[in-house]
Amino acid sequence: MSQPHLITSEAELTFTGCSDDIAALADTFRGLKRRRLVIAGGAGMGKTTLAVQLLLHLLSTRAAEQADAGEGEIVPVPVLLPVSGWDTSAHPRLQDWLAARLEQDYPALTAPELGTGAAAALAGGGRILPVLDGLDEIPAPARVRVIAALNSSLTAHDQLILTSRRKEFTTAVHEAGRPLTAAAIIVPKPITPQAAADYLTACLPGIPSEAWTRTLTALHSRAARGLAQVAATPLGLWLIRAVYLTPGADPTPLTGPLGDDADALRAHLLDRLIPALIEARPPSTDPADHFRPRHRLDPHATRRYLTYLARVFHPATTRDIAWWRIARTIRHIRSLTGLEAGLVFGVAGGLVDGLVGGLAGGLVFGLLFRLESRSWVDETPGYASFRGRPRPPFRTLKRDLMIGLVVGFAFGGVGGLALEVGLGLVGGLTGGLVVGLVVGPVFALIDWTEQPTLTSTSSPCSTWRSDRTLTLLRTSVLGLVFALTGGLVLRLVFGLGLGFGLMCGLALGLVFGLLIGNHRAWPACIIAISWLALTRRLPWRLMNFLDDAHRLGLLRAVGPVYQFRHAALHDHLATTPALSEWVFSPVWSGFRFRAMWGCSRR
């Protein structure tokens, strides 16, 4: 620990509390000189839960604390952030990383009305209380760098809450050569067998069954050593309750051979967790039922999907399950993108120009998408929304109008020269003028919708919907505009069929809708999900599944990403071998084969 006089003014340094009296714990935290706290402890001891409890209480009482604050005193806003997202080589200072993360997780801070640097002003002015979760979940060298970066970044007015396993934090402090300056460190006490037995008794019916009576007696007497070790942590006690306190469950395995082996018992409980939660919480459409899924889940499929996510978002690399990074989990995703785009445009072209011509055009479009989609898997979601959006600035409209005119004249001139030097050139330029006058405002509309608003939110589902809205807006508007203008121009100027012009314009508009703009995470994810769903590694309706897993308590949402609610479940699924039955195509329902999938390949 740091020097006691930096932590408190009291003669004796004590910091005690209990999670069932979070208000008293928050008062003790506020009594620290610089309000810096490290919540340490073993695996499953409830460090993150306690940090979130403290965060919620500080947030709910912030208005009252601000009213009582002295002149010039800052009452920061607590914000939960996973330490795994901090790359100290890219952001050596905590404040710089906070600013970048705030812009990612809270897009409203980048709204044009706030100007530039709003997030940096909050992070650099001590107005953010970072609640950094999971120091132990990053590699050992990175933990040392984080400790050093915190000590060099924190100023006298910067507050901090940090969670870490005790052993990893102690090692990092020793290797860093100095403790975390002015930070108090608390470690939770293990749950006693008596307290664990009392808790389980309170959850049981008035008269426990004979099997439960034997289990409670073994826990009291510590006859089952493995059971006592598992029940000594909040996570282990919750696993016992979730798996065996369901109607009809027989707790006999808790006192059998598994009861003497803590690791085997914990793995057994983690294996049974998913089906137990699904059985105990049937689906509900009532908005008040926050902890019930909206759809009926299959336990085996749910286990298979979560296992895939646990492996591709491996704990050794990241704890964040970001939907826009799923495309990265597929090898040759760019070739797959080109193939699917080529098939789509090939079919569309075949309706207009025959099968051979359509497939040839589709091949060209596929190659173009293969080249252009290289960056799709690296793009982040956009923030299309019309709620609370101000009027678009005139300078943006003027700039995009000029771009539209240039594009229109270029295509019109080239098309005119290709058809006829005289009348064709005049007609092409005239058509280009019409297209430019229409496309320019459309480009301005797209630029306008890509800017976040003051009401933009950032949750996994909201970012998915926003990027989907942005993509559909670009493709539909440009497809409609190109279809109408292209059809009329080709009909009136060149005398071609109206249907042919409409189809050509629609195809060109869809292409431009997918190729222009700054955010194409949604189409990349859709292409990836289509392949992963065909091979039964993920469901077709991925976001609905993730939301249901969140409601069941298997996942938690941290800003725009999901994480496994318990790191132990993530680790367990990532390392457990499993066989998956793949279906190559839904059309060939009889053609199935079994294959090993995961990190290794045969």
Side-chain angles (χ1 to χ4, degrees), residues 446-461:
I446 293 173
D447 287 341
W448 177 58
T449 55
E450 283 186 347
Q451 298 294 328
T453 67
L454 292 173
T455 58
S456 296
T457 58
S458 186
S459 67
C461 290

Side-chain angles (χ1 to χ4, degrees), residues 264-440:
L265 178 58
R266 190 178 296 107
H268 166 77
L269 293 171
L270 290 170
D271 281 332
R272 297 284 301 275
L273 177 63
I274 293 175
L277 290 178
I278 292 176
E279 181 181 356
R281 301 182 188 178
S284 171
T285 57
D286 186 353
D289 287 336
H290 300 292
F291 303 106
R292 292 197 177 198
R294 294 292 179 253
H295 311 85
R296 184 167 298 279
L297 299 176
D298 177 76
H300 299 291
T302 301
R303 168 70 180 256
R304 185 170 65 248
Y305 301 150
L306 291 178
T307 300
Y308 177 77
L309 293 173
R311 287 176 174 175
V312 296
F313 296 99
H314 199 273
T317 305
T318 181
R319 295 283 181 181
D320 296 342
I321 303 174
W323 62 263
W324 61 91
R325 299 296 184 222
I326 289 178
R328 288 183 177 180
T329 68
I330 302 179
R331 297 180 64 184
H332 311 301
I333 180 62
R334 296 177 179 88
S335 299
L336 183 63
T337 301
L339 174 63
E340 292 196 8
L343 289 175
V344 171
F345 288 111
V347 172
L351 296 176
V352 177
D353 196 29
L355 181 60
V356 177
L359 292 179
L363 177 61
V364 174
F365 278 125
L367 292 176
L368 290 176
F369 268 78
R370 170 69 174 81
L371 297 175
E372 176 60 27
S373 62
R374 272 187 245 176
S375 63
W376 285 20
V377 296
D378 299 319
E379 292 188 3
T380 55
Y383 308 105
S385 174
F386 297 100
R387 187 178 59 177
R389 188 173 292 281
R391 294 180 179 179
F394 177 74
R395 65 179 182 274
T396 302
L397 176 61
K398 182 171 63 174
R399 181 199 65 192
D400 290 322
L401 182 61
M402 294 301 297
I403 294 176
L405 288 174
V406 171
V407 173
F409 277 126
F411 276 96
V414 172
L417 289 174
L419 293 175
E420 188 179 345
V421 175
L423 180 62
L425 180 59
V426 175
L429 293 176
T430 303
L433 176 63
V434 176
V435 172
L437 290 174
V438 175
V439 171

Side-chain angles (χ1 to χ4, degrees), residues 298 541 544:
D298 177 76
R541 297 181 177 272
N544 287 345

Side-chain angles (χ1 to χ4, degrees), residues 21-43:
D21 190 2
I22 203 67
L25 192 68
D27 290 339
T28 307
F29 172 74
R30 290 190 178 109
L32 298 175
K33 271 190 174 182
R34 299 191 185 179
R35 297 186 182 180
R36 297 176 189 171
L37 176 65
V38 178
I39 304 175

Side-chain angles (χ1 to χ4, degrees), residues 37-41 46-47 50-51 54 161-165 184-186 188:
L37 176 65
V38 178
I39 304 175
K47 301 178 293 298
L50 183 62
L54 188 56
I161 298 175
L162 176 69
T163 73
S164 175
R165 293 186 183 181
I185 304 173
I186 60 175

